[in-house]
Structure formats: C-alpha cells, structure tokens
Amino acid sequence: EIRNPISGIFGSVDMIRERLEGLRKVIAENNSEKLQKWLETDFSEIKASIDGIAECASHQNVIADDVLNLSK
C-alpha cells in the first residue's frame, strides 16, 4: 500500500509534537534560565523542522491519492 509510509510519517510527527510540547511545559515550569534559552532557540528550530516534515508528507499524500485515482 502506497499510503502506509506516509501514515507512518504522520504518526511519528504527531508523537514528536506531543512529546516536545510536554517537554516545553516541564521546562517552562522549571524556570531555569538555561532551559528557557533552549526553549527560545532549539525548540523553535525543532518545531519548524517537524512542521516541514509534516508538510512534505502532506504533499506526498496528495501525490499518492492522485496516482491512485488515475490508476482506477
């Protein structure tokens, strides 16, 4: 099935987003200056990368749907 790898990407992205958000909350509650600095830089970069992966997977999903529709 052509959609299985794409579904796996979406599932992984969702899990990473949930874990990062939980980590962000823990760090914010800790009020450590070093951890807060991490939140402002690395966390934002990681989130942007995850969003990029999700966007690419979404485009691949559209292509897969189009190919499957054309093959009917």
Side-chain angles (χ1 to χ4, degrees):
E1 173 72 40
I2 195 168
R3 292 186 186 130
N4 287 344
I6 297 169
S7 296
I9 293 169
F10 284 129
S12 295
V13 165
D14 288 343
M15 186 270 307
I16 293 168
R17 280 183 176 153
E18 288 173 10
R19 298 281 171 91
L20 280 176
E21 182 59 26
L23 181 59
R24 185 195 65 77
K25 288 178 182 178
V26 168
I27 291 171
E29 290 169 1
N30 191 358
N31 289 324
S32 167
E33 187 175 315
K34 186 175 183 179
L35 293 175
Q36 290 293 331
K37 177 86 172 152
W38 179 83
L39 274 176
E40 295 169 4
T41 54
D42 291 352
F43 182 83
S44 295
E45 291 173 8
I46 292 167
K47 185 178 178 320
S49 294
I50 293 168
D51 290 344
I53 293 168
E55 185 175 339
C56 289
S58 180
H59 290 297
Q60 288 178 334
N61 197 41
V62 168
I63 292 169
D65 286 344
D66 289 346
V67 167
L68 291 172
N69 285 334
L70 285 173
S71 69
K72 289 182 182 180

